[in-house]
Amino acid sequence: MAYQFVKFQMAEGVAEIVLNRPDVLNSFNRTMGKEVQAALREAAGEPNVRAVLLTGAGRAFCAGQDLQEVVPEDPNQDWGDISEIVRETYNPVVLGIREIEKPVVCAVNGVAAGAGANIALACDFVFASEKASFIQAFAKIGLIPDSGGTFFLPRLVGLARATAMTMLGEKISAQQALDWGMIYRVCPPDSLLEEARNFARRLATMPTRGLGLTKCLLNKSLFNSLEEQLKLEERAQGLAGKTHDYREGVLAFLEKREPRFKGE
Ligand code: T3D
């Protein structure tokens, strides 16, 4: 598919998705939303892709919804129902990230605001530049945190910090986000992309089916009882045990050599 506001490439087992509207800090218009969804589907369907990297072009990661797009020509007219934007743009992007059975690495290269912040937090591994920041900007314009913000934030940082972030909309630095357990790693700005890319390439050499099943289990663990989760682990282990990579991992260990995983 040809993309207008997303750069998309697949190389060395990694699908790279770059949000590409730098003049407006990669804020989402409808087309970019559809393109991110399509890129995630493309990455999901390509067996040679075994990890995904999401980042932004220019100085920002993403400033959330393009606010120019939501204002009618005559602002005194009806502004319509913005739940439709959430339904058509953000919900499918967040579900696409959580449902793809491959690890998704996010390289937050600058400010991540509104839906941009929460899309980053939906990813499996969040790398951030020392210059990056996270802003739950919604409260400043009278909205509620969407794109999974009310789901991921309390789980990542606890209710007290999630409440402060979402109600005050203050800027949280990358270091603060790391200290709070919101993200995985902070990198110098110049090496962020290389570090995140190398990390994604490393993930792409790992047992992809096992990682995909692990992701599904972690998703489910957010709602399940211990008993339900143990049952799912039992079933998933059965599936993992049928993979080439399981046999290869065990044999490599016993033969004292590096495993050669195929993602199968
Ligand atoms: O329909 C719905 O609204 C429902 C969906 C909601 C999901 C959401 O994401 S709601 C939250 C929307 N986002 C925001 O409220 C954030 C708005 N942006 C900012 O607060 C600031 O831009 C930042 C804190 C992110 C960065 O500040 P700064 O000083 O580094 O940059 P800037 O000068 O504000 O922005 C640079 C340019 O990008 C500027 O354009 P210009 O003056 O150079 O022509 C600015 O207007 C543009 N820009 C930044 N964010 C957006 C944007 N244009 C459109 N939409 C944006 N969200």
Side-chain angles (χ1 to χ4, degrees):
M1 159 170 179
Y3 294 95
Q4 188 182 358
F5 297 123
V6 157
K7 285 195 265 178
F8 182 71
Q9 63 169 29
M10 297 186 268
E12 298 186 50
V14 177
E16 211 166 292
I17 304 171
V18 183
L19 308 177
N20 192 26
R21 303 183 72 222
D23 294 347
V24 286
L25 308 188
N26 304 319
S27 54
F28 269 84
N29 61 11
R30 282 164 201 269
T31 308
M32 192 172 91
K34 292 287 175 220
E35 289 183 358
V36 173
Q37 294 164 31
L40 285 165
R41 277 196 303 273
E42 217 173 317
E46 173 51 59
N48 291 329
V49 166
R50 292 164 64 188
V52 177
L53 176 65
L54 175 66
T55 190
R59 72 174 174 93
F61 171 66
C62 174
Q65 172 63 34
D66 183 331
L67 297 176
Q68 291 285 355
E69 194 183 54
V70 298
V71 182
E73 237 168 73
D74 173 3
N76 294 317
Q77 278 181 346
D78 180 13
W79 282 41
D81 179 1
I82 62 170
S83 70
E84 184 251 331
I85 298 184
V86 175
R87 188 167 58 250
E88 300 290 322
T89 298
Y90 301 109
N91 290 357
V93 168
V94 170
L95 288 176
I97 290 169
R98 293 312 315 157
E99 285 172 2
I100 185 171
E101 291 184 20
K102 303 173 184 185
V104 181
V105 179
C106 186
V108 181
N109 49 303
V111 65
N118 294 335
I119 286 169
L121 298 181
C123 296
D124 298 301
F125 294 92
V126 184
F127 283 59
S129 151
E130 285 162 355
K131 287 189 180 165
S133 55
F134 297 83
I135 310 174
Q136 295 292 322
F138 308 89
K140 294 188 170 173
I141 55 169
L143 292 184
I144 62 94
D146 59 24
S147 306
T150 59
F151 183 86
F152 296 115
L153 271 173
R155 287 166 170 82
L156 287 167
V157 300
L159 197 54
R161 285 168 174 161
T163 303
M165 282 187 74
T166 51
M167 290 202 181
L168 304 178
E170 288 171 350
K171 187 186 279 192
I172 303 296
S173 70
Q175 188 56 51
Q176 184 74 86
L178 183 70
D179 294 345
W180 284 1
M182 219 170 92
I183 62 172
Y184 179 64
R185 193 170 292 173
V186 176
C187 309
D190 291 344
S191 62
L192 170 76
L193 194 55
E194 198 191 343
E195 283 193 44
R197 212 176 249 154
N198 287 341
F199 188 81
R201 284 178 187 157
R202 188 179 122 208
L203 289 168
T205 65
M206 292 178 67
T208 311
R209 290 279 295 129
L211 298 191
L213 287 164
T214 302
K215 182 167 174 172
C216 293
L217 289 168
L218 292 175
N219 283 342
K220 296 263 165 52
S221 78
L222 299 166
F223 323 97
N224 276 346
S225 67
L226 174 61
E227 274 185 358
E228 288 164 327
Q229 200 62 20
L230 288 173
K231 226 35 213 156
L232 287 183
E233 287 178 4
E234 180 188 319
R235 217 174 301 151
Q237 201 66 296
L239 294 173
K242 298 275 181 224
T243 62
H244 161 277
D245 289 344
Y246 167 61
R247 290 194 298 272
E248 168 63 8
V250 172
L251 290 176
F253 173 77
L254 296 175
E255 292 164 13
K256 300 193 188 304
R257 61 172 173 81
E258 284 301 309
R260 289 179 295 271
F261 295 121
K262 290 182 173 177
E264 292 165 7

